[in-house]
Amino acid sequence: MKKIFITTLLIFTSVIFFGQAKKPTIMVMPSDQYCLSRGFKLTFTNQGMTQTLPDYRAAMQSDPNLRLVITKMGQMMADRGFPLKDLEAEMRNMMQESAESSMLTSSSSGSEMAESPIDVLKRVAKADIILDLDFDLKAQGPSKYMVFNLRGLDAYTAKQVSGVAGAGRPSTSATPEILMEEAVLSHMDSFNAGLMRHFDDLFENGREVKVLVKVFNNWGENLESEFESAGETKELSFIIEDWFADNCVKGRFNLSDATENQMRFEQVRIPVMKLQSGRERAVDTRSFVSDLRKHLTDKYQIQSKLYLRGLGEAWLILGEK
């Protein structure tokens, strides 16, 4: 009897533990192809380059089927315990912060760099995974059915971490959101398992981001300039590289390019969480590179400007604030 009680208790404890396991935050978004093919697009100019981007706001306001399907998709993920970011709510947050038109400018030289509205939206929302959804309602005689393509994209790198595509059964009476649910339902377990494998990897090996270190033209130093470090003289580039080795998860990063004026770090693995003032806090690209910025200021009196490019990329430009 005692053994049965202990076994039952262990099973119950395991259920609670796994039920409380942290899951990635999800935001469902229509795919670029869905928006652009239906004319929901806007143009964005950055440093003289013009880009055509999906206009999510116009799509959500003008396409009732899209709104229903995205709401249903979000509900299905929430029912499975995934924290959810609402696309429309995050777009409102972005507008309130005037983020779409914001420019980051050096207070000294006036150098500027803009984020695209898509980058800003992802940065404001801070979702872990973007569910990139494309679908089409097809007719088969009097019946309709749903064809869909659902991709789970890492919000920081845009790399696909899970995906599924298929078609639902024809129906003469089901609404678009029900057709979507029926089409996707049989694929959800394998799709969600892919998301969780990726999220588990983030906690084990760190989140992947990119960091670009550059030098303002009017700074009197560069990345080959030498500074005193731990009792020896080192080039600044090696000091920065040492910092990445000490602060990346398992020391993992790739220095893909290094010159006297630029260092490009890719596949930089940053921790998902860190302990700060006795509390566990989330780490993102901004906070990670801010620590590098503080390190260079405190130890070497190097001023710098931090620019963000969405969630997964930051530029640290040395020589000015």
Side-chain angles (χ1 to χ4, degrees):
M1 186 70 180
K2 186 176 180 181
K3 286 184 178 179
I4 294 173
F5 174 75
I6 292 173
T7 303
T8 305
L9 182 62
L10 287 172
I11 293 172
F12 180 70
T13 304
S14 298
V15 169
I16 292 176
F17 175 78
F18 287 110
Q20 292 178 340
K22 185 172 174 60
K23 291 187 176 182
T25 302
I26 301 293
M27 185 163 70
V28 187
M29 300 174 69
S31 71
D32 289 6
Q33 192 277 336
Y34 184 92
C35 292
L36 297 178
S37 66
R38 289 163 175 79
F40 303 125
K41 54 189 175 183
L42 52 83
T43 56
F44 169 75
T45 302
N46 181 20
Q47 298 179 335
M49 299 289 291
T50 301
Q51 297 173 271
T52 300
L53 302 172
D55 189 341
Y56 300 125
R57 185 176 296 107
M60 295 293 282
Q61 290 174 347
S62 306
D63 189 336
N65 287 340
L66 174 64
R67 201 164 187 270
L68 288 171
V69 167
I70 281 189
T71 300
K72 172 56 71 174
M73 192 73 240
Q75 180 188 328
M76 291 172 67
M77 298 303 293
D79 288 345
R80 286 157 178 79
F82 288 89
L84 199 64
K85 294 279 187 174
D86 180 72
L87 175 59
E88 288 187 285
E90 296 305 330
M91 286 191 294
R92 284 194 294 271
N93 291 340
M94 188 175 71
M95 289 182 66
Q96 288 167 4
E97 294 183 14
S98 301
E100 283 180 307
S101 59
S102 67
M103 285 279 190
L104 294 172
T105 307
S106 166
S107 56
S108 303
S109 68
S111 301
E112 63 182 28
M113 183 181 72
E115 288 180 288
S116 77
I118 310 303
D119 287 335
V120 175
L121 176 61
K122 290 179 180 179
R123 177 169 57 79
V124 171
K126 285 187 169 64
D128 296 301
I129 303 289
I130 300 297
L131 295 194
D132 184 77
L133 178 62
D134 189 15
F135 68 93
D136 197 10
L137 279 171
K138 301 282 189 180
Q140 189 178 72
S143 301
K144 291 184 178 180
Y145 65 98
M146 181 77 73
V147 177
F148 76 96
N149 184 6
L150 179 64
R151 299 187 301 155
L153 306 178
D154 184 295
Y156 282 68
T157 64
K159 291 181 179 179
Q160 182 171 326
V161 299
S162 191
V164 65
R169 294 180 179 178
S171 171
T172 57
S173 58
T175 55
E177 71 274 19
I178 299 301
L179 289 173
M180 170 58 74
E181 183 176 24
E182 291 174 348
V184 172
L185 203 56
S186 63
H187 303 281
M188 287 304 289
D189 288 343
S190 60
F191 179 77
N192 290 344
L195 298 184
M196 288 308 301
R197 280 194 300 272
H198 174 68
F199 202 56
D200 291 342
D201 177 69
L202 295 187
F203 274 91
E204 175 68 23
N205 297 306
R207 194 189 299 278
E208 185 179 330
V209 303
K210 296 178 182 178
V211 180
L212 183 66
V213 179
K214 300 183 73 174
V215 174
F216 277 114
N217 290 333
N218 57 355
W219 189 37
E221 308 283 355
N222 60 40
L223 293 168
E224 292 181 352
S225 298
E226 294 185 336
F227 291 81
E228 191 74 21
S229 174
E232 60 178 315
T233 301
K234 278 188 176 182
E235 285 189 7
L236 180 56
S237 61
F238 290 110
I239 292 172
I240 293 172
E241 191 173 353
D242 287 345
W243 186 91
F244 274 88
D246 291 339
N247 289 274
C248 291
V249 175
K250 300 179 181 178
R252 294 176 62 182
F253 66 92
N254 175 33
L255 179 58
S256 61
D257 183 40
T259 68
E260 63 180 8
N261 294 315
Q262 175 176 295
M263 299 176 75
R264 185 181 300 277
F265 294 90
E266 298 179 336
Q267 299 170 336
V268 177
R269 291 289 191 148
I270 68 173
V272 176
M273 307 292 291
K274 70 175 180 180
L275 203 61
Q276 183 176 318
S277 303
R279 295 181 180 179
E280 202 173 47
R281 297 184 182 274
V283 178
D284 58 15
T285 317
R286 177 184 175 277
S287 62
F288 181 79
V289 179
S290 290
D291 287 344
L292 170 59
R293 183 186 187 190
K294 186 176 187 303
H295 174 73
L296 294 176
T297 301
D298 292 348
K299 288 206 167 186
Y300 307 102
Q301 291 73 55
I302 298 173
Q303 300 296 320
S304 57
K305 185 76 176 179
L306 175 59
Y307 297 102
L308 296 175
R309 298 293 301 272
L311 275 176
E313 184 176 353
W315 292 16
L316 188 66
I317 307 186
L318 309 181
E320 295 181 7
K321 261 194 170 181

